[in-house]
Amino acid sequence: MALVAIGLWAWSEKGVLSNISSITDLGGLDPVWLFMVVGGVMFILGFAGCIGALRENTFLLKFFSVFLGIIFFLELTTGILAFVFKDWIKDQLNLFINNNIRAYRDDIDLQNLIDFTQEYWDCCGAFGADDWNLNIYFNCTDGNPSREKCGVPFSCCTKDPAEDVINTQCGYDIRAKPDSEQKDYINVKGCVPQFEKWLQDNLTLVAGIFIGVALLQIFGICLAQNLVSDIEAVRASW
């Protein structure tokens, strides 16, 4: 409920609640959806499991185990499909990032998410800094009146350990320079290759997290089904 409340507060601050149609207007991903969906799913599961066990309600317990089973099946299917169709997933990830690049200035939460991603993985754009040509503020067309023309967001810039204050204008006009000079000022690698590299470097950790979550889900399903069996056995003895 706390996650849902944070999501509703964020939408309220952005004026979304007063204009519901604006939810679908954003061309990219609104990070608030993550809070709403994750919070909603967690609340439904938590309510069904907790109240079902507390009140020995077999309907809620069965709902809990089936819902959890569906989530587990979707996770398993997604993992298998991602492994089998790696190239297609890469293309979709590229498309997803480019759509969000187009909407970079349209939503402050999306902007912060992109900046965090580019800073964390030391990357710029999906496959390179030129992907920022897709954004109307950063493209290099002659008719672009923006001061950010031919630039990149500050999150693309290489970090100077001596700087205590972030220079948010460090990416201005950077793509007007020759490619050989750009790497002295910004990260020239794309976020898709950097994400692949991060996965390869942390494969054990990622696999361990997925296996741990899967085991917890299986454990929860087994406990719920075991409790349902015990309740039905006691009722049958009446």
Side-chain angles (χ1 to χ4, degrees):
M1 287 304 294
L3 288 174
V4 173
I6 291 172
L8 291 173
W9 170 79
W11 271 346
S12 175
E13 289 292 301
K14 293 192 290 187
V16 172
L17 295 183
S18 59
N19 182 18
I20 299 299
S21 62
S22 63
I23 292 177
T24 58
D25 290 343
L26 182 64
L29 169 71
D30 187 349
V32 175
W33 276 111
L34 296 176
F35 285 90
M36 300 296 289
V37 172
V38 173
V41 170
M42 288 177 63
F43 174 76
I44 292 171
L45 274 175
F47 179 84
C50 182
I51 302 301
L54 183 67
R55 305 301 300 170
E56 296 185 348
N57 186 308
T58 55
F59 173 78
L60 287 178
L61 288 171
K62 288 177 181 178
F63 174 81
F64 171 83
S65 58
V66 170
F67 196 6
L68 202 54
I70 291 172
I71 293 175
F72 173 75
F73 176 75
L74 290 175
E75 290 171 348
L76 185 64
T77 304
T78 302
I80 294 172
L81 291 177
F83 180 76
V84 175
F85 301 103
K86 287 184 286 188
D87 292 336
W88 182 82
I89 293 294
K90 186 187 295 186
D91 291 340
Q92 293 302 307
L93 184 59
N94 179 34
L95 182 63
F96 174 76
I97 293 175
N98 285 337
N99 285 336
N100 286 296
I101 284 175
R102 290 187 183 93
Y104 177 74
R105 291 294 190 205
D106 297 346
D107 184 85
I108 187 63
D109 293 325
L110 175 62
Q111 184 175 310
N112 290 334
L113 180 62
I114 292 175
D115 286 334
F116 170 78
T117 302
Q118 293 190 144
E119 287 180 320
Y120 184 79
W121 279 315
D122 295 327
C123 59
C124 191
F127 282 95
D130 285 338
D131 288 334
W132 282 98
N133 267 328
L134 296 169
N135 187 279
I136 59 173
Y137 298 98
F138 294 99
N139 70 54
C140 292
T141 55
D142 294 334
N144 184 7
S146 171
R147 179 60 190 90
E148 295 176 309
K149 173 183 175 181
C150 256
V152 291
F154 73 91
S155 52
C156 285
C157 298
T158 53
K159 299 296 178 293
D160 184 354
E163 284 187 351
D164 294 328
V165 179
I166 296 175
N167 178 11
T168 57
Q169 299 181 2
C170 61
Y172 282 17
D173 304 317
I174 206 72
R175 287 188 297 114
K177 299 178 183 292
D179 292 345
S180 57
E181 293 183 23
Q182 290 182 19
K183 64 178 182 296
D184 296 331
Y185 302 95
I186 63 171
N187 300 305
V188 294
K189 294 180 180 178
C191 291
V192 173
Q194 287 294 87
F195 176 65
E196 288 181 309
K197 182 178 181 297
W198 181 85
L199 275 181
Q200 292 172 356
D201 294 342
N202 298 273
L203 190 60
T204 304
L205 174 64
V206 173
I209 291 173
F210 272 97
I211 292 172
V213 170
L215 289 175
L216 283 173
Q217 290 173 332
I218 294 171
F219 186 59
I221 293 170
C222 291
L223 283 179
Q225 289 300 109
N226 186 59
L227 184 54
V228 168
S229 298
D230 288 346
I231 293 170
E232 290 178 344
V234 170
R235 287 177 179 172
S237 67
W238 293 349

